Amino acid sequence: TAGIRIFRFGPCQVSLSMTEIRAGFNAIKANIQARDPIRTLSILSYPHSLHKVQSSDRCCITHQLFDFYVEKVFKHCQTEDSSINRKISSIANSFLSVKRNLGQCREQNKCTCGQESSEKLKQILENYEGLNVTSAAIKSLGELDILLDWME
Amino acid sequence: EDAVLPAPQNISILSTNMKHFLTWSPVIIQGETVRYSVEFQGEYEREYANESWIPTCECSLITATVCNITEDISATVAYNLRVRTVVGARRSEWGTLKGFFNRITTSLTPPLTKVIADGYHLLVELEDMGPAFQFCVLYWKKGQEDRMQQKVVKEVGSVVHLDTMEAGPDYCVKAQTYVEAINRSSNFSQTQCVRAQGGTSMWL
């Protein structure tokens, strides 16, 4: 089916068309990763993998990451290939829905942020700003499955 | 100087069972082949990408006046849609759909169902409506509507086995679709009743 996943972070619950997003990402993954020459660096996983995050901060980090992709990443990933751009648009619009739902959880204090999440986000932003914006955005997009795997 | 190309008019959306089509009235220009191009803009593009527009997957320089935008409408957000006329190198102004389109408004029709009594087995065959669809099937012994049973069918493949029937009473079945992506269901299909008859299939 369309593969809606309901993600529960304590009192916060958001639904996400995971299958649609993964299908969109898998269709562009090879092309996007081929545009990323810097294989030795990671935006999401350096120095520590997302998997080390404490469960109490998962909701906040998820919201911060969706916010990061919507606000910073997707807009700098335009390519000369309109089919790639269409898939990116599809993912970006799905991320926007989830970002909004998580934002409502934060407003209702159902998605609290601890020190760990702010440190993790700070590290990701440092990794991101250590590269020129297009390279950083393309690398981040190429690592989207790291986020999706961590969420699942 | 070339006359200005008229933009397409009467632009509208036909959306049924998560299949979305943009339609418009034809532009007639004597002696010319008139073509059309369609673009879409999601909420993300409006808010974060300078209100940019994206060419649709299937409808660049087409001659038809209908465009399948299902592939492009792939998130549950509000989309803008527009179409323009193209004759040779000449382009019209864009004709834009009045209002947004969100796939959550698609109309959902009851599924085609075929209820089969195969000996004492109550079976149902469901229409394959695509990966976005699940089915909720209700079945009961006629006269015992208060003891209705339900089966959720997530993958439509072969025939679905519902129950083993007793000889004699009629067994009734109806089904509805459910689309997780928009969290909506269709109305129920017509009720169909069958009865077990020894080893032979029996319709009522």
Side-chain angles (χ1 to χ4, degrees):
Chain A
T1 69
I4 289 283
R5 289 291 306 275
I6 307 291
F7 288 90
R8 291 184 180 78
F9 305 97
C12 176
Q13 175 176 306
V14 294
S15 66
L16 172 61
S17 306
M18 192 54 98
T19 306
E20 283 180 331
I21 289 177
R22 277 207 189 269
F25 177 69
N26 289 336
I28 64 172
K29 178 177 178 178
N31 182 296
I32 293 296
Q33 291 184 348
R35 296 167 190 260
D36 174 14
I38 312 163
R39 311 305 294 174
T40 52
L41 276 179
S42 168
I43 302 286
L44 297 185
S45 301
Y46 176 81
H48 304 302
S49 155
L50 280 173
H51 294 279
K52 285 186 179 292
V53 167
Q54 296 300 322
S55 62
S56 57
D57 269 21
R58 282 172 62 81
C59 182
C60 178
I61 285 188
T62 303
H63 180 237
Q64 288 172 334
L65 285 171
F66 273 70
D67 199 63
F68 165 70
Y69 273 92
V70 167
E71 302 275 349
K72 285 184 174 292
V73 173
F74 293 128
K75 66 180 75 173
H76 297 298
C77 292
Q78 286 302 298
T79 72
E80 70 296 338
D81 183 329
S82 59
S83 65
I84 299 279
N85 294 344
R86 259 193 300 277
K87 295 295 184 194
I88 294 172
S89 164
S90 165
I91 295 168
N93 278 287
S94 293
F95 265 53
L96 179 57
S97 288
V98 176
K99 164 183 142 71
R100 220 172 252 145
N101 294 338
L102 286 167
Q104 284 163 9
C105 282
R106 294 235 354 226
E107 283 160 21
Q108 297 154 13
N109 292 314
K110 294 180 187 169
C111 186
T112 53
C113 293
Q115 184 177 347
E116 186 181 22
S117 48
S118 43
E119 280 168 10
K120 185 62 188 173
L121 180 68
K122 180 166 168 278
Q123 181 64 65
I124 287 171
L125 293 178
E126 273 173 24
N127 297 343
Y128 188 83
E129 273 129 30
L131 302 173
N132 77 70
V133 67
T134 303
S135 304
I138 288 290
K139 176 177 277 298
S140 303
L141 181 56
E143 293 185 2
L144 201 69
D145 48 355
I146 292 175
L147 168 59
L148 301 178
D149 293 345
W150 172 68
M151 284 184 73
E152 289 199 301
Chain B
E1 205 220 82
D2 286 342
V4 174
L5 270 184
Q9 302 293 315
N10 305 317
I11 301 164
S12 63
I13 286 272
L14 291 174
S15 176
T16 306
N17 292 332
M18 295 295 270
K19 296 274 192 299
H20 323 301
F21 296 87
L22 188 73
T23 69
W24 56 90
S25 299
V27 170
I28 312 293
I29 299 176
Q30 291 307 329
E32 298 278 9
T33 301
V34 175
R35 295 179 184 279
Y36 307 94
S37 288
V38 178
E39 294 187 344
F40 68 92
Q41 178 194 74
E43 215 165 319
Y44 173 80
E45 282 73 33
R46 276 193 304 286
E47 293 188 16
Y48 294 93
N50 309 312
E51 303 192 356
S52 55
W53 291 82
I54 298 173
T56 54
C57 189
E58 298 187 5
C59 306
S60 289
L61 303 176
I62 61 171
T63 53
T65 57
V66 58
C67 171
N68 185 348
I69 56 171
T70 304
E71 194 72 26
D72 303 299
I73 307 295
S74 53
T76 308
V77 295
Y79 282 86
N80 264 326
L81 290 145
R82 68 182 185 181
V83 52
R84 70 178 167 186
T85 312
V86 180
V87 174
R90 293 158 58 201
R91 306 249 179 299
S92 75
E93 290 298 316
W94 289 101
T96 303
L97 177 71
K98 286 191 178 58
F100 295 121
F101 170 65
N102 189 319
R103 65 180 183 179
I104 208 165
T105 62
T106 193
S107 68
L108 295 176
T109 61
L112 295 177
T113 57
K114 182 178 179 184
V115 179
I116 302 162
D118 186 3
Y120 289 95
H121 295 293
L122 178 62
L123 312 176
V124 66
E125 210 172 286
L126 294 161
E127 171 191 6
D128 186 351
M129 300 176 72
F133 287 80
Q134 298 175 37
F135 299 87
C136 169
V137 183
L138 298 183
Y139 54 98
W140 65 96
K141 242 188 250 181
K142 203 167 196 176
Q144 295 187 15
E145 278 70 9
D146 57 327
R147 294 174 60 189
M148 230 176 235
Q149 296 187 68
Q150 169 181 301
K151 177 168 264 195
V152 173
V153 179
K154 296 205 170 195
E155 308 282 345
V156 174
S158 57
V159 172
V160 178
H161 181 276
L162 295 177
D163 208 348
T164 303
M165 299 183 279
E166 298 157 10
D170 296 343
Y171 284 76
C172 298
V173 179
K174 62 182 179 180
Q176 68 178 164
T177 61
Y178 172 65
V179 180
E180 265 184 332
I182 58 175
N183 193 24
R184 279 186 46 218
S185 297
S186 73
N187 293 330
F188 274 99
S189 60
Q190 284 281 330
T191 297
Q192 295 176 53
C193 301
V194 295
R195 177 186 309 168
Q197 272 295 303
T200 56
S201 287
M202 177 62 195
W203 283 85
L204 275 173

